[in-house]
């Protein structure tokens, strides 16, 4: 054998091998398909019978009004979009987002309902497909079918269900952020969609910090550039509204909502309900949010370094919602890919811990088993007034976030104390 041949053989053996795409086992695949069809059909039946509860699209109607105002050169911030009560139905998104809503003004009747409901479901399916791809599954027809079935199951995830009902933008934001994070680091466009998402609603800007701590500086720069582009467009088309929004309207509590609102499912909301909105509330929240964000970014970096990209993105997305000043239940859409992560882990790992973790999380984010029998319930969290422990019960998503970060830290610690194996390297926490 020649020296050239030997060197070539050694180089090829030393080169890292691309991971072999995984496939869903037949039993798991058909179980997911059957469960997804049953869940999706039952949800559709409930929508038909209780349309005003499960698909009223009232927020989509508010977006439509915003788009109509933009097209008629009327400010979206000077007065509420519905009614005349300040703090109720105020437009809280950016001027750039108001411009994106302009096409809604031409959609009416059954087409409006179809676009609002089916459009969100299609984006949910694509989000599931992207998440499964990030887990290493082979992109084929079986995966597409599984994504549709999983989306059917996720209709019973409370944030997804409420986003569908209100016609909110949250699933769209989830899609473009997770699609952006799924791009290879070599892509020159990575980060742009995250910047655009932040230009629609500010909270996705948290992902810029994730890109920075994982040393994806070009992607972080592209995200900042994408966000800056939305600002420039907003000021060019809506200069007065842009000045109003960026000069303080975006942090005005009378627009966003008071911190101790019972529907504020964020860390700030929990603290405000515990200690009140006066005194040290602000400092406690900032300290707690800073600590939670720092822990999240550290763990997300570790997850990303070990190839568990979806797990890292989920940690960032869930924590982003927890530390936000105000988070409605329907803002917690990153709980959907969390369920996909945990479900994948439960299928691949033996024992009881992973399946029980998945089932416990599914129970919490479904708003309880009662929702499966009576989906017209807005939220099981509302039962907290009936002698339930409100600190634990009403802030369930905050405690779920804490549990997620703790479980991730434990899993990462254990993975560093034993010999690495393919299973550990692939694991999604």
């Amino acid at each position: 054998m020649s020296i050239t041949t030997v060197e070539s053989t050694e180089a090829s053996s030393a080169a890292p091998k691309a991971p072999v795409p995984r496939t869903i086992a037949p039993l798991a695949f058909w179980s997911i398909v059957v469960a997804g069809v049953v869940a999706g059909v039952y949800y559709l039946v409930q929508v038909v019978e209780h349309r005003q509860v499960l698909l009223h699209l009232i927020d989509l109607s508010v977006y439509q009004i915003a788009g109509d105002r933009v097209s008629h050169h009327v400010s979206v911030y000077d007065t509420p979009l519905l009614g005349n009560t300040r703090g109720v139905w105020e437009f809280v998104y950016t001027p750039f987002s108001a411009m994106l809503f302009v096409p809604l003004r031409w959609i009416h009747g059954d087409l409006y309902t179809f676009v609002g409901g089916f459009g969100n479901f299609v984006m949910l399916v694509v989000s599931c497909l992207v998440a499964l791809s990030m887990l290493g599954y082979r992109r084929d027809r079986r995966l597409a079918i599984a994504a549709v079935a999983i989306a059917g199951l996720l209709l019973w995830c409370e944030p997804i269900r409420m986003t569908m009902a209100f016609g909110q933008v949250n699933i769209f934001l989830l899609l473009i952020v997770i699609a952006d994070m799924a791009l290879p680091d070599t892509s020159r466009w990575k980060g742009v969609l995250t910047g655009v998402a932040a230009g629609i609603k500010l909270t996705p800007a948290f992902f810029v910090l994730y890109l920075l701590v994982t040393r994806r500086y070009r992607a972080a720069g592209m995200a900042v550039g994408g966000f800056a582009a939305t600002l420039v467009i907003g000021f060019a088309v809506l200069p007065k509204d842009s000045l109003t929004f960026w000069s303080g309207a975006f942090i005005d509590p009378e627009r966003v909502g008071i911190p101790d609102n019972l529907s504020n499912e964020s860390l700030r909301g929990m603290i405000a309900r515990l200690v009140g909105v006066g005194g040290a509330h602000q400092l406690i929240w900032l300290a707690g949010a800073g600590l939670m964000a720092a822990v999240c970014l550290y763990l997300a970096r570790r997850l990303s370094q070990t190839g568990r990209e979806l797990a890292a993105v989920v940690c960032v997305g869930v924590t982003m919602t927890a530390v936000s000043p105000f988070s409605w239940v329907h803002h917690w859409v990153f709980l959907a890919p969390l369920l996909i992560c945990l479900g994948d882990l439960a299928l691949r790992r033996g024992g009881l811990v992973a399946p029980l973790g998945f089932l416990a999380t599914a129970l919490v984010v479904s708003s309880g088993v009662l929702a499966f029998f009576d989906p017209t319930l807005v939220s099981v969290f509302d039962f907290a007034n009936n002698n339930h422990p409100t600190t634990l019960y009403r802030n369930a998503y905050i405690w779920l976030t804490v549990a997620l970060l703790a479980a991730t830290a434990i899993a990462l610690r254990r993975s560093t104390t034993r010999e690495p194996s393919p299973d550990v390297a692939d694991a999604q926490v």
Side-chain angles (χ1 to χ4, degrees):
M1 183 181 292
S2 67
I3 295 177
T4 304
T5 304
V6 172
E7 289 177 347
S8 175
T9 302
E10 290 179 348
S12 62
S13 62
K17 296 181 179 179
V20 178
R22 299 159 51 199
T23 57
I24 303 175
L27 179 59
F29 173 77
W30 287 111
S31 299
I32 291 170
V33 169
V34 171
V37 169
V38 171
V41 169
Y42 182 58
Y43 176 84
L44 183 60
V45 170
Q46 295 301 320
V47 167
V48 172
E49 294 180 355
H50 308 285
R51 179 171 164 181
Q52 293 305 313
V53 175
L54 292 180
L55 200 63
H56 51 75
L57 301 178
I58 191 166
D59 281 5
L60 189 63
S61 298
V62 171
Y63 301 157
Q64 188 178 48
I65 295 172
D68 187 69
R69 284 196 182 187
V70 170
S71 62
H72 288 93
H73 308 289
V74 178
S75 173
V76 296
Y77 300 112
D78 287 352
T79 59
L81 298 182
L82 285 177
N84 299 304
T85 304
R86 293 308 307 269
V88 179
W89 300 119
E90 299 270 8
F91 191 69
V92 296
Y93 299 101
T94 65
F96 176 76
S97 68
M99 295 163 54
L100 297 181
F101 297 142
V102 170
L104 293 175
R105 62 187 294 260
W106 291 294
I107 305 175
H108 300 282
D110 291 337
L111 178 61
Y112 177 80
T113 303
F114 180 82
V115 169
F118 189 70
N120 257 329
F121 183 74
V122 170
M123 290 188 289
L124 178 61
V125 171
V126 179
S127 299
C128 293
L129 187 60
V130 173
L132 292 169
S133 298
M134 293 178 72
L135 287 172
Y137 287 99
R138 186 187 305 277
R139 300 172 188 172
D140 54 16
R141 184 172 60 182
R142 283 169 59 91
L143 192 67
I145 294 172
V148 174
I150 291 171
L153 288 167
L154 288 175
L155 292 173
W156 296 100
C157 172
E158 184 183 31
I160 297 296
R161 188 170 71 244
M162 294 190 71
T163 293
M164 295 280 291
F166 284 95
Q168 269 275 345
V169 299
N170 304 305
I171 295 177
F172 172 67
L173 296 176
L174 167 67
L175 171 59
I176 62 176
V177 168
I178 198 172
D180 195 20
M181 294 297 112
L183 289 174
D185 291 343
T186 54
S187 172
R188 68 175 62 183
W189 298 107
K190 182 161 185 165
V192 172
L193 288 177
T194 298
V196 172
I200 296 172
K201 185 177 180 180
L202 297 177
T203 48
F206 189 65
F207 276 91
V208 177
L209 297 179
Y210 169 64
L211 293 173
L212 289 173
V213 299
T214 53
R215 299 183 180 180
R216 298 162 182 173
Y217 301 124
R218 181 176 64 179
M222 293 299 289
V224 173
F227 176 73
T230 66
L231 262 67
V232 171
I233 294 172
F235 272 99
V237 178
L238 301 172
K240 179 179 178 296
D241 275 350
S242 294
L243 184 61
T244 298
F245 183 80
W246 295 111
S247 63
F250 70 99
I251 56 173
D252 184 355
E254 291 187 2
R255 293 178 181 271
V256 179
I258 57 174
D260 57 345
N261 187 312
L262 292 178
S263 295
N264 185 8
E265 291 287 335
S266 74
L267 180 64
R268 187 185 188 192
M270 182 179 75
I271 293 172
R273 288 188 291 270
L274 285 173
V275 303
V277 295
H281 151 257
Q282 190 82 352
L283 290 177
I284 296 174
W285 167 60
L286 289 174
L291 176 62
M292 183 177 284
V295 171
C296 162
L297 292 171
Y298 170 75
L299 296 175
R301 179 183 176 182
R302 292 278 309 279
L303 288 169
S304 179
Q305 289 173 336
T306 53
R308 293 170 275 196
E309 191 63 25
L310 181 62
V313 169
V314 166
C315 277
V316 175
V318 172
T319 304
M320 166 193 79
T321 314
V323 301
S324 173
F326 198 105
S327 293
W328 296 92
V329 171
H330 51 73
H331 290 172
W332 287 85
V333 289
F334 271 91
L335 292 176
L338 170 62
L339 287 174
I340 293 176
C341 251
L342 295 177
D344 173 71
L345 189 62
L347 287 174
R348 294 189 298 104
R349 288 277 185 88
L352 292 175
V353 175
L356 287 177
F358 168 74
L359 291 175
T361 303
L363 179 64
V364 172
V365 305
S366 71
S367 135
V369 292
L370 289 179
F372 285 90
F373 298 100
D374 186 2
T376 61
L377 295 173
V378 175
S379 170
V380 171
F381 295 133
D382 292 337
F383 293 166
N385 294 326
N386 298 332
N387 300 318
H388 284 287
T390 57
T391 300
L392 177 65
Y393 206 61
R394 186 169 289 280
N395 303 299
Y397 290 168
I398 299 299
W399 298 120
L400 181 62
T401 302
V402 172
L404 170 65
L405 296 178
T408 301
I410 293 171
L412 286 170
R413 181 176 179 82
R414 287 179 176 175
S415 68
T416 58
T417 57
R418 60 174 180 254
E419 189 69 24
S421 66
D423 180 64
V424 172
D426 278 343
Q428 298 288 333
V429 180

